[in-house]
Amino acid sequence: MAFHLPDLPYKYNALEALGMSMETLEFHHDMHHKAYVDNGNKLIAGTEWESKSVEEIVKGTYQAGAVAQNGIFNNASQHWNHTQFWEMMGPEGKGMPGALEKALTEAFGSVAKFKEDFAAAGAAQFGSGWAWLVKDADGSLKVTKTENGVNPLCFGQTALLGCDVWEHSYYIDFRNKRPAYLSNFLEKLVNWENVASRL
Ligand code: FE
């Protein structure tokens, strides 16, 4: 089915005081995410993928080692990634639900260690990509990083948290300081209730 650009779940200026400016969200949502939607729709038109869900397209078109050449995959996966990303952030500033805190502590030793691992994964991703907290098929939690638009769906994992580390996500607010963007994301921007709902 045709891709559809979702509205942000908050106002464009809602995260301004938390380190993600209105300008960043306008560019990121209205131009970058919209381009994935528009280009994806052009590429799937008239193909076997036209009637499939975005998740089916991502899983069905992923080819390890050939991501850069794979237009349908790249646009579908980036559309899915950004849709999750907007929902994983929020202006509410609510605390972390107890079930998530417990799961992170069991998997990583502490919430602080999870954040350290997640930030390190995002900082270490060479070039464009994503840092993730995933739930594997066996139920275990892991921190991963992926190139370009590759995401946990490709590996049969559930995405609990994802952080866009493409430069377009942080250059306006943090210039080249990706680690500062990641630290701010974890401390101020994540909607932990959304993350917990994915467990
Ligand atoms: Fe992005």
Side-chain angles (χ1 to χ4, degrees):
M1 60 202 80
F3 301 154
H4 164 74
L5 181 67
D7 289 336
L8 286 178
Y10 29 75
K11 291 183 177 161
Y12 285 89
N13 64 0
L15 308 181
E16 186 105 41
L18 303 173
M20 187 169 281
S21 63
M22 183 159 98
E23 188 181 5
T24 288
L25 282 174
E26 284 174 343
F27 269 92
H28 202 169
H29 177 273
D30 296 4
M31 296 190 191
H32 292 282
H33 189 170
K34 183 173 189 298
Y36 299 128
V37 168
D38 292 346
N39 291 331
N41 281 332
K42 279 183 206 148
L43 289 168
I44 62 172
T47 74
E48 62 181 302
W49 302 110
E50 194 170 24
S51 60
K52 301 288 200 295
S53 70
V54 61
E55 289 85 0
E56 287 173 318
I57 297 171
V58 169
K59 290 186 225 172
T61 59
Y62 174 63
Q63 292 175 290
V67 167
Q69 302 81 6
N70 194 334
I72 291 180
F73 171 79
N74 286 334
N75 286 285
S77 63
Q78 282 290 75
H79 170 41
W80 188 86
N81 291 347
H82 286 84
T83 302
Q84 313 309 309
F85 184 55
W86 309 135
E87 293 171 357
M88 289 162 170
M89 298 188 290
E92 303 300 324
K94 289 178 191 148
M96 184 181 288
L100 178 62
E101 188 175 350
K102 182 165 175 281
L104 290 174
T105 302
E106 280 171 9
F108 300 97
S110 66
V111 172
K113 181 64 166 63
F114 152 68
K115 289 180 178 175
E116 191 183 308
D117 289 358
F118 187 96
Q125 171 56 39
F126 185 76
S128 297
W130 293 75
W132 302 98
L133 170 67
V134 304
K135 185 166 78 170
D136 245 329
D138 67 3
S140 62
L141 301 194
K142 287 187 182 132
V143 164
T144 67
K145 61 185 168 67
T146 58
E147 61 172 326
N148 297 319
V150 178
N151 66 42
L153 293 176
C154 303
F155 312 110
Q157 300 163 327
T158 303
L160 304 182
L161 178 64
C163 185
D164 188 343
V165 299
W166 288 55
E167 282 190 348
H168 66 224
S169 192
Y170 60 86
Y171 216 83
I172 291 169
D173 299 320
F174 291 91
R175 296 303 174 195
N176 60 331
K177 297 184 178 65
R178 191 193 284 184
Y181 157 75
L182 280 157
S183 161
N184 183 75
F185 174 81
L186 288 164
E187 295 307 325
K188 296 188 177 169
L189 288 169
V190 176
N191 176 347
W192 296 109
E193 292 194 337
N194 181 274
V195 178
S197 74
R198 297 164 181 268
L199 267 174

